[in-house]
Amino acid sequence: NTFIGWDRCTLTRGATDRKGKTKMTFTMTDAQQEIRDTILRLCAQFDDDYWLEKDRVGGYPQELHTALAEGGWLGVAMPTEYGGAGLGITEATIMMQAIAEAGGGASAASAIHLNVFGLNPVVKFGTDEQKERMLTPLIAGQQKPCFAVTEPTTGLDTTKLKTKAVKQGERYVVNGQKVWITTAQVADQMLLLARTTPLEDVEKPTEGLTLFYTKFDRDFLDIREIEKMGRKCVDSNELFIEGLPIPAEDMIGQEGQGFRQILHGLNPERVMIAGECIGIARNALKRAAEYAKERVVFGRPIGQNQGVQHPLAQCWAKVEAANLMVMHAAALYDAGKPCGVEANAAKLLAAEAAVEATQTAQLTFGGFGYAKEYHVERLVREALLFKIVPITPQLLLSFIAEKALGLPKSY
């Protein structure tokens, strides 16, 4: 089925041709369509009133997490031997897109997506024992992770991280500070990047950083929640680490190679968040179109006026064009091909399209677009979040300029 509307929506990896090369198609497989349909049905039980209440009072959406865990969805892209489905980032992106599109937006997606991409370094570099110990409870919904990389004084300059892990016998002791740590209020485990060799003692700044996946031990952590503009039910935090002991067996891969390992989670993160942006935008445009058909002013529905039609149609075109780049990047990743430029371009285009679509939808509602009961104002706030994080549009453009156009590195 060629893409013609909301339900046929992706450029995916398809079958292989007679030479064994992966082909790109503009269609979803039946299995991928079933994933989308199933997730939309599952998320329909969490209606607008549910997300309005979460936006007002906060509180982690445990009910959504439990429903997805019971359906086996938390391990969609994890190995089957640990309880996962063994599918690709394409299927994971289709799932995350549907979660956002069903109405939960970033509040729903952010509660789940770290489960899907965050432990990719463990999948790639963990031992069999680590995978069994770390992935199995995550997939079953028995543990929740958080991702502790960003620091307040270094931001995206990851090689300058100041959090230190010092080896003492059969353990490491960690001291430092992290910021914008999502779900730290409810986390059981933590994927932590820390410096084990001082920056001045390594040949390359990317060396000397080590990755750990370990217990989120609150006896050694001071967690301070950050009040923010949106996504109230998924907490963001400052994290102060004082003398945190980490067993040596919780180190992932080789000591000092954590930066290289963490990169294996970044391209999937870009792609999935881009997919979530598409979901948010589609939901906003759907709300706006329905309202425009029903709202009658001067004896005719406002949706009959081209001044209302054209901005919405323009946004639809941009959203669906961005989605093709999202799925193209996902297909490249799953085919084992380089996808950094495409993943970053997908995030750039999808976030910009989502911001424009949600704001246009809000304007379609007129004054009611400013009221919480019509829900689009929440989507406006949540789309803006993804334009900023996990990486700014300026750095995305710098990366694309360097890698795609061959221009000198600017950062």
Side-chain angles (χ1 to χ4, degrees):
N1 295 311
T2 302
F3 167 66
I4 55 173
W6 297 108
D7 287 330
R8 302 290 172 183
C9 62
T10 65
L11 167 63
T12 67
R13 73 190 194 287
T16 55
D17 62 19
R18 284 177 291 182
K19 295 182 179 179
K21 293 183 178 180
T22 300
K23 299 187 294 184
M24 301 299 173
T25 70
F26 291 84
T27 59
M28 239 195 264
T29 66
D30 290 341
Q32 290 168 344
Q33 184 66 43
E34 180 60 26
I35 290 171
R36 173 177 166 80
D37 293 343
T38 301
I39 294 298
L40 288 173
R41 286 194 300 269
L42 184 153
C43 290
Q45 64 186 291
F46 305 99
D47 60 12
D48 286 343
D49 290 339
Y50 178 88
W51 294 113
L52 181 59
E53 183 68 9
K54 288 295 181 184
D55 189 55
R56 284 172 171 164
V57 303
Y60 182 80
Q62 180 62 50
E63 299 86 356
L64 175 67
H65 181 273
T66 299
L68 289 166
E70 289 176 349
W73 294 106
L74 296 184
V76 62
M78 297 284 187
T80 56
E81 54 264 47
Y82 308 110
L87 301 176
I89 294 303
T90 300
E91 288 76 18
T93 301
I94 290 169
M95 181 185 83
M96 296 309 306
Q97 186 181 85
I99 290 173
E101 187 177 337
S107 295
S110 295
I112 303 300
H113 66 203
L114 184 58
N115 289 70
V116 180
F117 76 83
L119 264 64
N120 214 33
V122 176
V123 175
K124 297 287 185 181
F125 300 102
T127 64
D128 290 341
E129 183 276 331
Q130 286 177 326
K131 292 175 187 178
E132 177 68 32
R133 173 164 55 92
M134 297 172 179
L135 299 181
T136 303
L138 178 84
I139 294 168
Q142 298 165 354
Q143 293 180 352
K144 298 184 187 70
C146 68
F147 195 66
V149 175
T150 305
E151 295 184 3
T153 60
T154 57
L156 293 171
D157 193 358
T158 306
T159 61
K160 302 292 176 54
L161 293 182
K162 295 180 174 59
T163 296
K164 295 180 180 179
V166 178
K167 192 168 187 182
Q168 298 179 358
E170 295 302 313
R171 68 176 189 174
Y172 292 81
V173 177
V174 180
N175 290 278
Q177 184 179 352
K178 300 290 182 178
V179 74
W180 296 114
I181 309 307
T182 299
T183 65
Q185 296 291 330
V186 297
D188 304 290
Q189 299 287 118
M190 171 172 58
L191 190 68
L192 172 72
L193 188 64
R195 185 159 283 284
T196 47
T197 303
L199 185 60
E200 59 271 18
D201 294 339
V202 295
E203 293 184 5
K204 299 178 180 179
T206 54
E207 297 176 350
L209 292 165
T210 300
L211 190 63
F212 303 91
Y213 187 66
T214 194
K215 179 183 177 183
F216 196 75
D217 193 337
R218 286 169 169 77
D219 290 339
F220 303 91
L221 303 170
D222 182 9
I223 310 157
R224 304 178 190 177
E225 187 168 359
I226 301 169
E227 290 193 45
K228 54 191 188 297
M229 181 177 176
R231 209 190 65 174
K232 185 177 178 65
C233 65
V234 181
D235 55 272
S236 301
N237 304 271
E238 292 181 278
L239 191 63
F240 299 87
I241 307 170
E242 298 183 11
L244 174 68
I246 298 180
E249 57 264 28
D250 288 351
M251 182 182 71
I252 306 303
Q254 293 181 306
E255 181 178 302
Q257 297 301 309
F259 183 86
R260 181 174 63 88
Q261 294 157 8
I262 209 77
L263 293 179
H264 283 265
L266 296 186
N267 284 332
E269 178 190 38
R270 305 279 193 270
V271 174
M272 275 189 275
I273 286 181
E276 293 161 22
C277 288
I278 300 300
I280 292 170
R282 285 177 172 166
N283 185 271
L285 292 176
K286 180 180 179 181
R287 292 180 191 274
E290 290 175 350
Y291 182 79
K293 287 184 287 186
E294 297 170 357
R295 175 66 167 166
V296 175
V297 180
F298 299 119
R300 58 192 276 160
I302 63 172
Q304 192 174 349
N305 301 321
Q306 291 178 352
V308 173
Q309 290 183 352
H310 289 185
L312 292 173
Q314 186 74 32
C315 287
W316 182 93
K318 291 180 179 180
V319 168
E320 297 307 322
N323 186 56
L324 296 182
M325 179 60 83
V326 173
M327 295 303 169
H328 177 51
L332 288 174
Y333 182 88
D334 287 336
K337 299 179 183 298
C339 65
V341 170
E342 291 80 4
N344 282 278
K347 196 273 181 182
L348 175 74
L349 295 171
E352 290 183 344
V355 168
E356 184 178 355
T358 54
Q359 291 178 351
T360 301
Q362 186 178 41
L363 291 173
T364 304
F365 280 80
F368 290 116
Y370 204 64
K372 285 184 178 291
E373 66 179 290
Y374 285 84
H375 304 286
V376 289
E377 64 84 30
R378 171 173 60 87
L379 299 178
V380 168
R381 290 183 281 117
E382 294 189 346
L384 183 58
L385 168 68
F386 283 155
K387 186 171 182 179
I388 300 170
V389 301
I391 184 170
T392 62
Q394 291 80 13
L395 197 53
L396 290 170
L397 289 167
S398 294
F399 181 89
I400 293 167
E402 177 193 353
K403 302 298 183 181
L405 301 177
L407 295 174
K409 187 174 182 178
S410 62
Y411 58 96

